[in-house]
Amino acid sequence: MSEHPTLRTSEHTSDVLVVGGGIIGLVTAWRAAQRGLATAVVDPEPGGGAAQVAAGMLAAVTELHYGEQTLLGLNVASADRYPAFAAELTDLTGHDLGYRRCGTLAVALDADDRAHLRELHTLQRQSGLESEWLSGRECRRLEPMLAPGVRGGLRVDGDHQIDPRRLAAALLSACELAGVVFHRTWAERLVVERERATGAVTREGVRLGAGQVVLAAGSLSGRLPGVPDDVLPPVRPVKGEVLRLAVPARYAPFLSRTVRAVVRGSHVYLVPRENGELVVGATSEELGWDTTVTAGGVYALLRDAHELVPGITELPLTETRAGLRPGSPDNAPLLGPTELDGLLLATGHYRNGVLLTPVTGDALAHALVTGELPEEARPFTPRRFTAAALTEQPA
Ligand code: GLY
């Protein structure tokens, strides 16, 4: 990193500076600006990031995992907000977000998968969630393109989808309409003065001053120079490769809802958009910052998706892409104030960034205005990872 011994003083000051213009940074900036805070975003390509790759499943119920019941509460709160959130964004910006209340079908291909899905069903019911067990025949009646070998499945009508690329574009427009200022460059380091975050310095050496800084740089959040070590979020990149196929009109409706399964231990999902796009995801690889699309990744996705829906091999393959999920130690996001005055986090959303966008915007705006997280977001304070919290013995 280069040094900037003499910073150019700048007229760029705001109440809030958001570092990172992916969907999480944008929703934070938009909601902050709506609360009357003068807000700026620094990002070379706002609206980019993992949302350009993500499939956009809003899968609070089908992505429930043992040990993640606290996260479930936040996921469900955000899923509940989606209809009003999407309607507000569309009314404001004119962007159609591709929000589709199509539901999800999670299916089992063999006896082990079926046992695993049965357990998930039990956990869902214990958690008060709605899902319905279907036989293989009932699954195929709903989705005739499914493989004949499907042994059963879970129908979850409440797990919807949105097109994350459209969401990013709409949030960008909403920010612009709300007067958010964009600095289209890299934040090179955080500025800390008298033990308080007071802004960031850009790659060009321009200082962007701010009353509060929100670090919302996705998987990059853990490596912004200037952030003290004990505050730096423990976020790591988790690569996901995703394919896009096109469903020609003669095959429509190829699938009428999201279809997913665990094949040989890997998650595979097929998300059908209303515009004929079929998104197939996703690998999950801990390979640092690598975003290469590999033959192996594409092969594994096509092989597993083909096992689920054999007809996909007829479809044109239109895009292959890899992105980086911001993984955190407990798979949950880090939201709100840190131990460093003036610095807040909105990162670590891992597999749930698109789903958690509405609730993150609300939580961060609340924290920026009041200094505290709202009730539903309190378990996700970054302070849970401070040395003191981690060494605390349970009573
Ligand atoms: N939530 C889907 C994924 O991360 O692959």
Side-chain angles (χ1 to χ4, degrees):
M1 296 290 162
S2 60
E3 290 294 310
H4 298 289
T6 49
L7 297 177
R8 271 194 272 146
T9 348
S10 123
E11 64 286 5
H12 303 302
T13 55
S14 51
D15 295 325
V16 176
L17 175 66
V18 181
V19 177
I23 51 175
I24 295 298
L26 291 177
V27 77
T28 300
W30 175 44
R31 290 305 197 197
Q34 281 183 321
R35 299 278 191 116
L37 298 168
T39 303
V41 172
V42 55
D43 189 305
E45 203 187 324
Q52 294 301 316
V53 182
M57 290 178 299
L58 307 176
V61 179
T62 39
E63 289 208 354
L64 174 62
H65 295 284
Y66 279 104
E68 293 185 3
Q69 276 86 344
T70 310
L71 177 58
L72 171 69
L74 195 70
N75 285 345
V76 169
S78 208
D80 289 347
R81 284 176 210 189
Y82 244 103
F85 172 81
E88 184 184 356
L89 263 179
T90 298
D91 284 352
L92 262 174
T93 66
H95 286 263
D96 170 3
L97 307 185
Y99 179 46
R100 201 173 168 198
R101 295 171 172 80
C102 55
T104 297
L105 184 64
V107 302
L109 289 167
D110 61 27
D112 285 351
D113 292 350
R114 190 164 59 181
H116 172 80
L117 265 192
R118 283 280 194 197
E119 278 186 25
L120 177 62
H121 191 210
T122 305
L123 182 62
Q124 289 167 340
R125 280 190 312 199
Q126 284 166 351
S127 308
L129 301 169
E130 276 180 39
S131 64
E132 184 190 356
W133 182 262
L134 301 183
S135 66
R137 185 174 299 173
E138 287 168 326
C139 290
R140 282 189 301 279
R141 204 174 298 138
L142 271 187
E143 294 297 341
M145 297 305 285
L146 279 173
V150 164
R151 299 281 202 96
L154 280 176
R155 175 178 177 167
V156 181
D157 288 345
D159 275 358
H160 303 152
Q161 61 149 304
I162 196 154
D163 184 336
R165 293 177 177 176
R166 293 178 180 216
L167 172 62
L171 284 169
L172 197 53
S173 296
C175 283
E176 281 162 355
L177 289 168
V180 172
V181 172
F182 285 95
H183 303 286
R184 287 178 159 81
T185 182
W186 288 100
E188 196 167 81
R189 69 181 165 90
L190 184 76
V191 178
V192 179
E193 293 166 312
R194 297 200 183 97
E195 298 185 15
R196 184 180 174 89
T198 57
V201 177
T202 69
R203 174 173 277 185
E204 294 75 25
V206 175
R207 177 175 168 161
L208 309 174
Q212 300 183 81
V213 178
V214 180
L215 180 51
S219 56
L220 290 166
S221 303
R223 50 189 256 171
L224 182 66
V227 180
D229 283 350
D230 55 340
V231 177
L232 206 59
V235 172
R236 67 186 197 285
V238 182
K239 180 179 175 182
E241 297 187 45
V242 173
L243 316 176
R244 283 172 164 79
L245 296 91
V247 178
R250 66 181 183 283
Y251 291 141
F254 189 77
L255 294 175
S256 61
R257 74 203 67 228
T258 295
V259 169
R260 58 184 302 153
V262 178
V263 183
R264 282 179 286 271
S266 302
H267 290 271
V268 64
Y269 43 80
L270 289 82
V271 183
R273 304 250 193 267
E274 235 145 35
N275 65 5
E277 184 176 77
L278 181 67
V279 186
V280 179
T283 64
S284 188
E285 303 157 85
E286 305 258 359
L287 292 172
W289 302 99
D290 172 56
T291 52
T292 315
V293 176
T294 62
V298 174
Y299 167 71
L301 287 172
L302 287 176
R303 179 196 60 203
D304 296 349
H306 174 256
E307 229 167 276
L308 204 54
V309 179
I312 60 147
T313 47
E314 302 295 317
L315 305 179
L317 175 63
T318 53
E319 194 183 323
T320 58
R321 197 142 169 196
L324 299 173
R325 306 175 183 90
S328 76
D330 58 5
N331 300 335
L334 290 83
L335 305 175
T338 65
E339 294 293 290
L340 177 65
D341 281 347
L343 180 68
L344 295 86
L345 299 182
T347 188
H349 291 71
Y350 189 38
R351 301 180 73 94
N352 296 304
V354 179
L355 172 61
L356 289 174
T357 295
V359 82
T360 298
D362 294 346
L364 265 291
H366 188 276
L368 286 163
V369 171
T370 67
E372 291 188 351
L373 283 168
E375 185 71 35
E376 78 258 12
R378 283 193 195 145
F380 305 97
T381 170
R383 292 177 171 136
R384 71 189 188 277
F385 294 121
T386 56
L390 289 171
T391 51
E392 226 167 63
Q393 295 299 315

